[in-house]
Amino acid sequence: MKIVIVGGGAGGLELATTLGKKLGRKKRAEIVLVDRNHTHVWKPLLHEVASGSLDADMDSVNYRAHAHKSAFSFKLGSLTGLNRDEKYIDLAPMCDEDGNEIMPARTECYDYLVLAIGSVSNDFSVPGVADNCIFLDRPDQALLFHRRLVNQFIGLNSEIARTSSERTLHIAIIGGGATGVELSAELFKAREWFASYGLNHIGKQHLKVSIIEAGPSLVPALSERISQAVAAELLNLGVNVCLSTSVANVTGNTIITSAGERIEADQIVWAAGVKAPEVLRKFEGLEKNRIDQLRVNEFLQLSKDRNIFALGDCAACAIKNEQGEDRWVPPRAQSAHQMASTVGMNIMNLLENKPLKAFKYQDYGSLVSLSHYTAFGKLMGGLAMGSMNVEGRLARLAYVSLYRMHQLAIHGWYRTLLVALASKINHFIRPRLKLH
Ligand SMILES: Cc1cc2nc3c(=O)[nH]c(=O)nc-3n(C[C@H](O)[C@H](O)[C@H](O)COP(=O)(O)OP(=O)(O)OC[C@H]3O[C@@H](n4cnc5c(N)ncnc54)[C@H](O)[C@@H]3O)c2cc1C
């Protein structure tokens, strides 16, 4: 029996680890994880990688090394096709940075396939966005933003030192959801760190961060109370918040709003919603929703193919909200985590001819962390005894514990404790900001 999992992200890596330990180690099944990258960085950390407050190299998990430890095998490759009749997937040729082919196009056959390839930013076909904005979908994009940010800080610092220039570095973030507001706060913190590491000509007045949001409030997915608290904190930091402002076009470094206003920025980040990765569009005969997520049944199998599961951001799983209205499980790390656990259980049940378990989404709340300044959120479920608003240190602790839960799922208790300890030690011995 061969189980192939494509996508080693928040959900896929947890699933591969569980199945490797439960089935691979006992030789009850062959578990294969396919990912287009060599290493895993938990996606909710990408805004911290972009600002430099987190060094992706320090916090990444090497798939090959982790597979060796967890009794699954890892195949480097990018999914390009699916043959459901003959049960195999196509993987694109792998090339190095100079375009030389390292591995030719390949196929990988499966008995059960799990698609866990996440999502990509949705540009809603706004002209110029794909060419002129940076997305935070992948670590390399976050690193590109960071490299440019470092150069821009170094350049501006030298300019101010030489000419007492009044120029500001302007970073515009389109989208006032969690990613946009978290990144804006990280950038102000980054300026403080840059100043303490010698780039001290850049004052608060030299950094301008704008959030351009089409809706009437920030973090619209959260309650009005949290939305207002976040807005007040960002205004206090100095973020320029433009609400009810939709973007019509982006050309070069200029954003043109629907009202015709032109906003010039040194870097433009697009963080305004997600859709399923393009490759899923090609898969014919499968049910998808408006943003091309794959429709799954209550057991998280594709509605049109019971040998294929989908989980996380690429899955469209219908649920009812508190008011009994139809909606989809939200594209969040906690959804991917819960779905990975149900898919793992269902694959084991299939091998043992047991009935499958229906997926039940449990919303544990939402949190927004504004760097080291503060955090806001709402906790739900067991510990919160219903629902509880949190802020400050408690909210920050809950936010960090989300990542610890992911680490626990892939490393177990002992290694997670060691990793947490190592990160505390690094806090003292390494710079607080990635400086190159
Ligand atoms: C900046 C940012 C902050 C966020 N903050 C939060 C938060 O605070 N809380 C929260 O709950 N959620 C947050 N999210 C959302 C969360 O990251 C996602 O919902 C979650 O990562 C989805 O998990 P996943 O397993 O479906 O996909 P991912 O974690 O995105 O993993 C997908 C994997 O598939 C691989 N892959 C993609 N395409 C292919 C292909 N064609 N072939 C092979 N491999 C492929 C990728 O390399 C990746 O490893 C945030 C997202 C971002 C971008």
Side-chain angles (χ1 to χ4, degrees):
M1 178 69 62
K2 181 169 168 184
I3 297 146
V4 175
I5 301 158
V6 189
L13 184 58
E14 293 186 9
L15 177 66
T17 307
T18 307
L19 293 182
K21 286 181 178 161
K22 294 201 168 149
L23 301 175
R25 195 157 280 162
K26 294 175 189 152
K27 308 254 181 287
R28 288 177 59 203
E30 181 189 356
I31 314 297
V32 178
L33 175 69
V34 176
D35 201 285
R36 60 184 176 194
N37 294 323
H38 293 272
T39 56
H40 161 76
V41 178
W42 197 53
K43 198 173 175 183
L45 298 175
L46 289 186
H47 63 285
E48 294 184 30
V49 175
S51 72
S53 67
L54 186 112
D55 186 340
D57 287 340
M58 302 295 295
D59 251 78
S60 63
V61 176
N62 182 284
Y63 287 120
R64 231 169 260 288
H66 187 69
H68 171 71
K69 233 174 358 90
S70 308
F72 65 85
S73 53
F74 172 67
K75 301 266 165 88
L76 183 66
S78 185
L79 175 75
T80 51
L82 168 65
N83 186 323
R84 292 194 290 126
D85 296 330
E86 294 176 39
K87 288 183 152 182
Y88 67 79
I89 54 168
D90 294 307
L91 301 177
M94 296 292 304
C95 297
D96 66 15
E97 279 132 18
D98 304 318
N100 303 317
E101 190 172 284
I102 308 167
M103 275 192 288
R106 291 140 296 142
T107 59
E108 191 71 40
C109 57
Y110 63 85
D111 293 301
Y112 289 109
L113 175 68
V114 182
L115 294 170
I117 58 173
S119 58
V120 293
S121 294
N122 193 346
D123 68 3
F124 301 100
S125 305
V126 175
V129 169
D131 293 332
N132 300 305
C133 295
I134 290 204
F135 302 108
L136 293 185
D137 294 332
R138 306 188 309 253
D140 59 319
Q141 294 168 330
L143 285 168
L144 173 68
F145 176 89
H146 178 254
R147 272 198 306 276
R148 288 183 182 167
L149 186 73
V150 172
N151 289 338
Q152 285 162 342
F153 263 92
I154 292 172
L156 181 60
N157 190 67
S158 143
E159 185 182 322
I160 299 169
R162 281 182 287 113
T163 65
S164 306
S165 162
E166 290 296 314
R167 187 168 72 82
T168 53
L169 172 66
H170 186 195
I171 311 290
I173 303 164
I174 303 170
T179 302
V181 302
E182 290 181 341
L183 177 63
S184 67
E186 286 292 342
L187 292 172
F188 278 94
K189 195 73 202 168
R191 188 207 62 82
E192 289 179 20
W193 286 120
F194 275 127
S196 64
Y197 290 118
L199 302 181
N200 49 5
H201 292 287
I202 304 176
K204 211 177 167 190
Q205 72 279 15
H206 295 110
L207 176 66
K208 180 175 175 189
V209 178
S210 300
I211 296 183
I212 298 151
E213 164 60 43
S217 59
L218 294 175
V219 279
L222 303 187
S223 70
E224 205 182 319
R225 193 198 70 86
I226 295 174
S227 167
Q228 283 173 359
V230 167
E233 189 65 33
L234 292 189
L235 287 175
N236 189 32
L237 278 177
V239 178
N240 172 37
V241 178
C242 312
L243 297 175
S244 306
T245 307
S246 50
V247 172
N249 197 343
V250 182
T251 48
N253 283 1
T254 309
I255 298 165
I256 300 157
T257 69
S258 304
E261 191 194 346
R262 295 171 72 87
I263 302 169
E264 307 280 339
D266 295 278
Q267 289 209 64
I268 306 173
V269 178
W270 181 270
V274 296
K275 62 179 181 179
E278 284 293 311
V279 65
L280 296 187
R281 277 185 163 214
K282 291 199 288 186
F283 296 177
E284 285 165 7
L286 298 175
E287 272 189 290
K288 294 167 207 161
N289 68 3
R290 200 172 39 85
I291 55 167
D292 286 322
Q293 290 170 309
L294 297 163
R295 283 202 72 140
V296 290
N297 64 16
E298 73 265 47
F299 308 118
L300 301 179
Q301 295 160 306
L302 295 196
S303 52
K304 298 279 181 179
D305 191 329
R306 302 294 154 104
N307 295 312
I308 306 180
F309 291 82
L311 64 85
D313 284 9
C314 70
C317 179
I319 47 166
K320 299 244 180 247
N321 68 7
E322 283 161 8
Q323 290 75 40
E325 298 155 348
D326 289 322
R327 62 180 186 118
W328 304 112
V329 169
R332 284 155 63 178
Q334 60 167 312
S335 316
H337 171 79
Q338 292 175 36
M339 285 174 158
S341 137
T342 300
V343 170
M345 216 171 293
N346 280 343
I347 287 177
M348 285 190 287
N349 286 350
L350 278 170
L351 299 194
E352 290 165 11
N353 289 319
K354 288 186 184 162
L356 299 189
K357 181 179 182 279
F359 175 68
K360 197 164 176 311
Y361 175 64
Q362 176 73 50
D363 189 350
Y364 289 110
S366 309
L367 294 154
V368 179
S369 169
L370 301 183
S371 188
H372 291 263
Y373 300 109
T374 188
F376 298 97
K378 186 173 170 185
L379 299 180
M380 291 162 78
L383 272 179
M385 289 185 288
S387 126
M388 180 170 82
N389 287 321
V390 284
E391 69 178 81
R393 274 176 174 272
L394 186 58
R396 177 80 196 155
L397 190 72
Y399 185 84
V400 172
S401 67
L402 273 178
Y403 182 38
R404 296 284 175 242
M405 272 168 60
H406 173 65
Q407 290 179 312
L408 208 57
I410 56 176
H411 297 311
W413 276 105
Y414 182 60
R415 269 183 67 91
T416 300
L417 278 175
L418 290 181
V419 169
L421 182 66
S423 104
K424 278 272 167 246
I425 294 170
N426 280 329
H427 199 73
F428 288 106
I429 60 175
R430 293 178 61 84
R432 298 295 295 276
L433 190 79
K434 189 169 174 351
L435 296 163
H436 59 275

